[in-house]
RNA sequence: GGCGGUAUCGUCUAGGGGCUAGGACACCAGAUUCUCAAUCUGGGAACCCGGGUUCGAUUCCCGGUACCGCUACCA
């Protein structure tokens, strides 16, 4: 059997470390068995999908060198590899199921479903669709569809007491009926949900092993039911443990850097990051900690994956990255730096912002230092200057935090124009003058009050660097707040 | 609430019916060093609990507990 695996990210935000993690294991399995590794873009959520995000995913995976054999950018025999270009395929398959009676149209309005859920919640019942439309007379359903009444297509799950499915690592997993909801397959906008698109594509693209994150395990019965309804052979399913925050919750940006952009900008070497990721849930037979991607592939066996959700330990990643860095010859290290913050590309973005503000070449290094460091140091004076007159450090900290959560985290495009309009809008809605807000952001992101124009600066620094500095500044202000007992800062100190 | 998953040092893990339960990060101490790293040596540190099965369970089975995930016309 030809081993074919895939990674199927949704382009809805920054490229995620979890995507890299799952990609790595899929890549390793395919390469180990001389098969193919496919990249498929799952952009069926029209609201949240973003082309810029798709590009960042490509870039990030290429940076990591987990190369794919088929994908939207390289093509392949089973394309297109972007789900938004396959709508007709899903629609036809949904119809096929409806014809077979394995799926049915549902005309229930969103409000009815919401009310139903609320009622179930209150009565502490199992949440799920009550299958009202499943009993509809087919002729009537057909008539209503004909009349153009909005509807979705739902999967008719078997009404048995339980259903057994198979996971490679867990063996047989038995699900009790209450969990087996009649999942929506085709949304009222004609787009498929994950469940339909995923199964149809995995089959059509001849995926032999579905290796994905554990969060999908609860929906496995739906997927298996889909394969059975179509009369298709099921692939091997293998659910990988979820990467965790230090508090053991599913890894999230609030508690851990998750964007691959962060790791790239911070200067983690791709091979070190991959090596570290491989250590999450996997151990080489001889337990060595350091190994290359080809070595990993050479020894890889799905069965060796351990199931406890591993805590992502930045500390150990840093150590491992240091090991890799120290092994480089100075020439190679130079090359790495030239591909990073000392690339012509980056310098040519920084230099124009600094040129008119320096008088000697050496001035540049002092003036532009914050463009090249990870975090910046905030002196007492800088901390004070971040807090506008008449406002408290606590207020400022809160303002910066909500800026992060309400605006910055949600931005996919990171250009000076976008940043400017978003910052202005945020200041306005929060009741802060542009002057107040921009100075706070300026100091938070650069550590100083005299800098090149703010938006260009933020654009060059990149979202991840900005977010991490703003986070730190906000945290420091909170401490400041404790010490200063919430006193208003009256004097303005600049440095 | 319901459904499902998981459980070995603080963290990542090896192991497996009888072992002084091994390694890595972190931590501590010493060596080395102009300093700091790096390096070397040493140290402390774990089988969730209760029942079975067994001559013997950390390992196998059952129950509990804890943690995690899912419970959308998001993926």
């Amino acid at each position: 059997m030809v081993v074919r695996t895939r990674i199927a990210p949704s382009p809805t935000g920054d490229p995620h470390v979890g995507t890299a993690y799952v990609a790595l294991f899929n890549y390793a399995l395919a390469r180990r068995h001389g098969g193919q590794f496919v990249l498929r873009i799952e952009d069926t959520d029209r609201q949240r999908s973003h082309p810029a995000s798709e590009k960042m995913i490509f870039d990030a995976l290429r940076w990591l060198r987990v190369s794919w054999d088929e994908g939207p950018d390289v093509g392949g025999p089973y394309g297109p590899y972007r789900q938004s270009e396959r709508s007709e395929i899903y629609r036809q398959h949904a119809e096929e199921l409806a014809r077979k009676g394995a799926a049915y149209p549902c005309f229930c309005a969103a409000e009815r479903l919401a009310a139903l859920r609320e009622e179930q919640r209150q009565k502490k019942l199992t949440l799920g669709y009550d299958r009202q439309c499943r009993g509809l007379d087919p002729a009537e359903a057909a008539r209503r569809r004909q009349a153009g009444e909005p509807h979705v297509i739902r999967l008719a799950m078997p009404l048995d007491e339980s259903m057994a499915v198979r996971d490679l690592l867990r063996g047989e997993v038995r699900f009790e009926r209450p969990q087996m909801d009649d999942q929506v397959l085709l949304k009222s906008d004609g787009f498929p949900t994950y469940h339909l698109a995923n199964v149809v594509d995995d089959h059509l693209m001849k995926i032999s092993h579905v290796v994905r994150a554990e969060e999908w395990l609860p929906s496995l019965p739906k997927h298996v039911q889909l394969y059975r309804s179509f009369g298709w052979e099921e692939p091997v399913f293998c659910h990988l443990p979820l990467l965790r925050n230090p508090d053991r919750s599913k890894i999230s940006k609030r508690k851990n850097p998750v964007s691959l952009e962060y790791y790239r900008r911070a200067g983690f070497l791709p091979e070190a990051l991959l090596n570290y990721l491989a250590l999450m849930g996997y151990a080489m037979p001889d337990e060595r900690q350091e190994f290359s991607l080809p070595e990993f592939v050479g020894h890889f066996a799905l069965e060796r994956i351990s199931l406890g959700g591993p805590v992502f330990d930045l500390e150990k990643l840093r150590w491992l990255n240091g090991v890799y860095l120290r092994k480089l010859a100075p020439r190679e290290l130079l090359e790495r730096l030239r591909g990073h913050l000392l690339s012509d590309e980056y310098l040519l973005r920084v230099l124009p912002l600094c040129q008119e503000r320096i008088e000697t070449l050496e001035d540049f290094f002092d003036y532009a230092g914050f463009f090249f460091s990870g975090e910046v140091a905030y002196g007492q004076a800088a901390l004070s200057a971040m807090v506008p007159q008449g406002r408290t450090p606590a207020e400022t900290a809160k303002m910066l935090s909500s800026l992060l959560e309400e605006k910055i985290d949600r931005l996919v495009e990171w250009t000076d124009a976008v940043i400017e309009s978003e910052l202005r809008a945020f200041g306005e809605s929060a009741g802060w003058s542009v002057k107040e807000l921009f100075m706070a952001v300026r100091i938070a992101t650069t550590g100083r009050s005299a800098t090149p124009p703010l938006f260009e600066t933020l654009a060059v620094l990149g979202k991840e660097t900005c977010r991490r500095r703003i986070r730190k500044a906000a945290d420091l202000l909170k401490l400041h707040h404790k010490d200063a007992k919430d006193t208003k800062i009256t004097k303005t100190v600049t440095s």
Side-chain angles (χ1 to χ4, degrees), chain A residues 243-252 255-256 311-312:
Chain A
L243 259 22
R244 310 285 185 92
N245 293 314
D247 67 2
R248 296 204 166 275
S249 52
K250 176 163 103 170
I251 197 166
S252 66
K255 297 167 183 171
N256 205 89
V311 172
F312 193 95

Side-chain angles (χ1 to χ4, degrees), chain A residues 63-319:
Chain A
W63 170 64
L64 284 170
R65 294 174 185 82
V66 270
S67 52
W68 50 98
D69 305 295
E70 299 166 29
D73 55 336
V74 296
Y78 305 99
Y81 293 89
R82 198 179 277 117
Q83 290 186 331
S84 58
E85 296 167 16
R86 301 169 65 82
S87 299
E88 187 51 26
I89 298 173
Y90 309 125
R91 208 191 50 72
Q92 283 171 8
H93 281 86
E95 287 307 326
E96 180 186 334
L97 290 184
R99 268 200 310 279
K100 286 180 176 172
Y104 61 95
C106 167
F107 302 89
C108 292
E111 299 78 62
R112 176 175 184 271
L113 298 175
L116 177 67
R117 251 196 305 279
E118 191 43 45
E119 190 190 331
Q120 290 169 334
R121 215 188 306 276
Q122 263 167 31
K123 291 186 183 166
K124 292 199 184 299
L125 296 170
T126 298
L127 271 47
Y129 180 54
D130 62 2
R131 304 191 159 117
Q132 189 185 71
C133 293
R134 186 157 169 177
L136 239 42
D137 172 46
E140 190 202 333
R143 197 175 59 246
R144 288 168 74 177
R145 292 186 74 185
Q146 209 68 48
E149 191 173 332
H151 64 279
V152 300
I153 302 288
R154 283 183 187 273
L155 177 63
M157 284 298 282
L159 274 2
D160 305 342
E161 280 311 303
S162 70
M163 181 172 178
V165 295
R166 181 156 281 282
D167 174 274
L168 182 84
L169 294 168
R170 283 157 260 254
E172 183 182 286
V173 180
R174 182 166 288 278
F175 287 81
E176 297 303 317
R177 204 173 90 72
Q179 186 57 19
M180 298 171 6
D181 205 8
D182 279 1
Q183 183 65 47
V184 170
L185 298 178
L186 208 62
K187 306 181 224 177
S188 54
D189 66 0
F191 271 57
T193 57
Y194 169 87
H195 308 282
L196 207 223
N198 195 267
V199 166
V200 168
D201 284 348
D202 282 344
H203 172 74
L204 262 24
M205 295 179 182
K206 298 196 161 39
I207 300 303
S208 64
H209 294 70
V210 172
V211 180
R212 65 207 333 177
E214 191 179 5
E215 56 190 327
W216 293 110
L217 189 55
S219 43
L220 185 52
K222 293 165 187 167
H223 302 160
V224 167
Q225 177 59 26
L226 242 13
Y227 280 96
R228 290 180 186 165
S229 301
F230 282 119
W232 293 339
E233 191 188 343
E234 293 165 34
V236 174
F237 291 100
C238 175
H239 293 84
L240 261 24
L242 246 20
L243 259 22
R244 310 285 185 92
N245 293 314
D247 67 2
R248 296 204 166 275
S249 52
K250 176 163 103 170
I251 197 166
S252 66
K253 67 178 145 206
R254 203 105 310 134
K255 297 167 183 171
N256 205 89
V258 294
S259 172
L260 292 171
E261 298 284 336
Y262 165 84
Y263 295 96
R264 169 136 71 159
R265 149 79 203 208
F268 287 94
L269 305 184
E271 57 270 47
L273 179 56
L274 242 24
N275 187 162
Y276 178 71
L277 251 15
L279 253 15
M280 302 274 84
Y282 197 83
M284 287 293 236
D286 62 0
E287 279 198 273
R288 85 188 100 137
Q289 306 290 305
E290 303 152 41
F291 47 84
S292 67
L293 185 54
E295 286 173 314
F296 178 57
V297 168
H299 287 274
F300 185 68
L302 263 191
E303 301 73 26
R304 284 187 62 84
I305 293 170
S306 63
L307 292 176
V311 172
F312 193 95
D313 181 7
L314 212 46
E315 205 59 53
K316 185 160 180 180
L317 205 211
R318 292 183 70 90
W319 163 78

